[in-house]
Amino acid sequence: QVQLVESGGGLVQAGGSLRLSCAASGIIVSFNYMGWYRQAPGKQRELVAAIPSGGRTNYADSVKGRFTISRDTAKNAVYLQMNSLKPEDTAVYYCNLVGRVQSWGQGTQVTVSS
């Protein structure tokens, strides 16, 4: 059974940084196409960053140049480094597979104040 546990969210001022973590069990992250998603109040969940098992990372235009997705094979974890945060980045952030979405974790709340 796949389990994904997100952490690292919080309240930060605009321009600040946060690093989100996703601990995975039941899958090997380095063998899978992993992504970070977010859902803002009243909006649909969207994919903001993805890292394939091989190949280049990719990002939504809204976060390109500010967010960096990475993984740690030894820890079987995926990370999202978020810099230059903006109020519009406020959302609950989730990690999951891309294409073969599994059950969603609880997510981690990111709130950016202006």
Side-chain angles (χ1 to χ4, degrees), residues 59-113:
Y59 301 91
D61 287 344
S62 58
V63 307
K64 201 171 293 183
R66 301 187 297 121
F67 289 11
T68 302
I69 188 171
S70 63
R71 61 178 166 235
D72 185 322
T73 300
K75 295 183 178 179
N76 203 36
V78 182
Y79 304 97
L80 186 68
Q81 177 67 43
M82 305 186 297
N83 299 326
S84 302
L85 282 160
K86 304 176 180 180
E88 51 264 44
D89 295 319
T90 294
V92 180
Y93 284 72
Y94 305 86
C95 71
N96 212 312
L97 277 71
V98 177
R100 297 188 298 114
V101 174
Q102 305 296 306
S103 297
W104 294 98
Q106 83 286 352
T108 186
Q109 175 72 48
V110 172
T111 304
V112 185
S113 63

Side-chain angles (χ1 to χ4, degrees), residues 1-63:
Q1 182 179 357
V2 177
Q3 188 173 17
L4 301 162
V5 180
E6 302 91 350
S7 62
L11 173 64
V12 64
Q13 288 188 331
S17 298
L18 284 173
R19 184 182 189 235
L20 306 184
S21 299
C22 171
S25 59
I27 59 167
I28 299 174
V29 298
S30 59
F31 291 172
N32 285 277
Y33 196 176
M34 301 297 299
W36 279 97
Y37 302 74
R38 68 185 181 188
Q39 187 167 21
K43 296 187 177 181
Q44 287 191 330
R45 190 154 18 207
E46 61 171 343
L47 177 65
V48 296
I51 182 166
S53 56
R56 298 173 61 179
T57 55
N58 48 87
Y59 301 91
D61 287 344
S62 58
V63 307

